[in-house]
Amino acid sequence: QNQEGKRFLTTFHLGDSAIFRFRKSRLDKITKDDSYVQVLVDANLLPDEITYNEEMKNHPQAPDYVDLTVSAGEIRRTFSEDHPIVQYVKKHSNEKRISVLRIRRMLLQTMNKYPMQARIAKTETTETLDGDIYLALTDGITDNLTMNEITAIIELHTDNPEMIPLVLAHEAAQRAEESLH
């Protein structure tokens, strides 16, 4: 807390786990991933998930974010031949278009083989307000639940916030289990 009574939160972040802030019924990601999906977002091959969900909230026929696809050819044209995502697409995917869900899952399977280049931890300081809920979420949550699903779970449990991580973990584990069958 500073002299004016304002409170701040400082986060240190590395990798594709993420820190989110839920404020006034809105979920915002306050960190930027070091992940291959983020690489595709930065290259304008995919939209950002939170922005996409916000733009599509009044379009019930719009596909869920994880169902969006990116062209395998576009990945090859955008990145150098030695980029790990290009290597993976060339070796493991015969598909012309690859869904966000498939990209998330295929890259999780190859993390040890093609690790992201080590990065320096990022530091972010943000002002906190009464009622804010902050979540540090592993990719085990964000790869298995959509931002809309995470938001809905938070909204259901704002009166009992200690339930939020328990419900998120349970729902993500169920989704991961379903995807194995």
Side-chain angles (χ1 to χ4, degrees):
Q1 192 168 346
N2 70 7
Q3 292 174 343
E4 293 92 39
K6 293 181 179 181
R7 295 175 311 212
F8 296 88
L9 172 73
T10 299
T11 60
F12 300 88
H13 171 260
L14 184 65
D16 59 356
S17 295
I19 300 172
F20 294 87
R21 178 186 59 223
F22 184 77
R23 177 183 283 170
K24 298 179 182 176
S25 298
R26 180 179 165 89
L27 184 66
D28 289 307
K29 188 182 218 178
I30 62 172
T31 58
K32 186 175 178 180
D33 292 355
D34 284 327
S35 71
Y36 294 128
V37 172
Q38 185 64 49
V39 166
L40 297 175
V41 169
D42 291 346
N44 294 318
L45 296 180
L46 286 171
D48 170 73
E49 184 171 4
I50 292 175
T51 302
Y52 176 81
N53 288 339
E54 186 66 27
E55 290 173 356
M56 295 299 133
K57 69 181 176 186
N58 295 324
H59 301 283
Q61 74 286 0
D64 196 10
Y65 183 80
V66 294
D67 296 324
L68 297 180
T69 62
V70 62
S71 160
E74 213 38 52
I75 290 172
R76 288 186 191 124
R77 285 188 291 280
T78 303
F79 300 99
S80 66
E81 281 295 310
D82 61 343
H83 194 286
I85 196 168
V86 172
Q87 295 298 313
Y88 187 86
V89 168
K90 285 169 58 177
K91 185 173 182 179
H92 298 287
S93 181
N94 297 326
E95 304 166 29
K96 291 188 188 295
R97 297 196 65 81
I98 305 170
S99 72
V100 169
L101 182 61
R102 174 115 168 86
I103 292 166
R104 284 178 173 174
R105 294 221 166 111
M106 74 180 185
L107 294 172
L108 282 174
Q109 296 165 3
T110 61
M111 291 278 276
N112 291 333
K113 190 171 182 181
Y114 303 110
M116 291 294 294
Q117 183 178 8
R119 305 272 201 281
I120 297 172
K122 297 176 183 84
T123 304
E124 182 72 33
T125 299
T126 185
E127 183 179 354
T128 65
L129 300 177
D130 287 341
D132 285 353
I133 297 173
Y134 290 88
L135 298 157
L137 299 178
T138 174
D139 55 4
I141 303 291
T142 58
D143 285 347
N144 287 294
L145 299 175
T146 67
M147 291 300 115
N148 288 337
E149 290 169 329
I150 293 169
T151 300
I153 290 168
I154 296 169
E155 286 177 335
L156 278 173
H157 298 285
T158 55
D159 59 334
N160 194 6
E162 51 277 345
M163 288 299 298
I164 295 169
L166 300 173
V167 175
L168 288 171
H170 173 76
E171 293 297 319
Q174 275 192 307
R175 179 72 51 78
E177 181 68 27
E178 290 168 6
S179 72
L180 295 175
H181 302 319

